[in-house]
Amino acid sequence: MPTLLLLNGPNLNLLGQREPHLYGADTLEDVARLCREAAPGWEVREVQSNHEGALIDAVHAARGACAGIVVNPGAYSHTSIALLDALNAFEGPVMEVHVTNIHRRETFRHRSYVSLRADGVIAGLGVEGYAAATRRIVQLAG
Ligand code: CA2
């Protein structure tokens, strides 16, 4: 059974609990359910961390073990060359998701280092973006 790594970065554990006007009412648990529904026959490995090194470790652990990665790197999108380097060492497809439209927000959110590696980027679809990204991973990995 192929495995999808669903990787969420800093503060996304608060999804559905704070700032619903910006990030919506769905929780990370709802996100995982959406991904499972979008990838029947796949196992979904969920990792959320507020720590950059833990996210990098999860990408390393996915090498040779996961068929694809759906990642919302949170604010590390805009700062982390280290996460980009880790994703560059992963052999499978990578989809980057942002709940909000980062291009309609502050200019510091417009650039994502992770986008240099991602096979696709989805922003502004709310949590539905995770489902679309998962479907794309299934297509690319299948
Ligand atoms: O739009 C996205 O998904 C972001 O990756 C979310 C990050 C932000 O730094 C990026 O620029 C865009 C922030 C995640 C914070 O998540 C929260 C969720 C609910 C309540 C508070 C924070």
Side-chain angles (χ1 to χ4, degrees):
M1 188 186 266
T3 300
L4 170 77
L5 174 61
L6 170 60
L7 188 59
N8 280 287
N11 297 306
L12 284 156
N13 52 309
L14 299 178
L15 211 58
Q17 299 173 38
R18 298 272 192 287
E19 303 192 75
H21 58 285
L22 199 54
Y23 295 107
D26 290 305
T27 65
L28 217 48
E29 222 169 88
D30 296 321
V31 166
R33 186 179 36 77
L34 281 174
C35 292
R36 288 201 168 85
E37 284 168 7
W42 284 55
E43 188 181 319
V44 176
R45 179 188 295 185
E46 295 169 58
V47 177
Q48 186 280 328
S49 180
N50 297 321
H51 305 278
E52 188 175 9
L55 296 169
I56 291 165
D57 287 345
V59 173
H60 290 179
R63 296 179 66 234
C66 295
I69 300 177
V70 170
V71 57
N72 182 346
Y76 286 141
S77 317
H78 320 301
T79 62
S80 182
I81 297 167
L83 183 56
L84 168 65
D85 288 345
L87 287 165
N88 276 334
F90 176 74
E91 59 285 351
V94 174
M95 287 292 295
E96 178 181 357
V97 176
H98 297 283
V99 176
T100 61
N101 179 1
I102 53 175
H103 301 289
R104 208 169 69 172
R105 300 184 65 187
E106 303 96 324
T107 46
F108 62 81
R109 295 187 202 273
H110 295 179
R111 180 193 62 187
S112 165
Y113 287 113
V114 168
S115 297
L116 292 168
R117 164 63 178 89
D119 294 286
V121 182
I122 296 172
L125 271 64
V127 296
E128 196 49 46
Y130 287 93
T134 301
R135 285 194 292 272
R136 184 66 178 154
I137 291 287
V138 169
Q139 199 173 51
L140 290 173

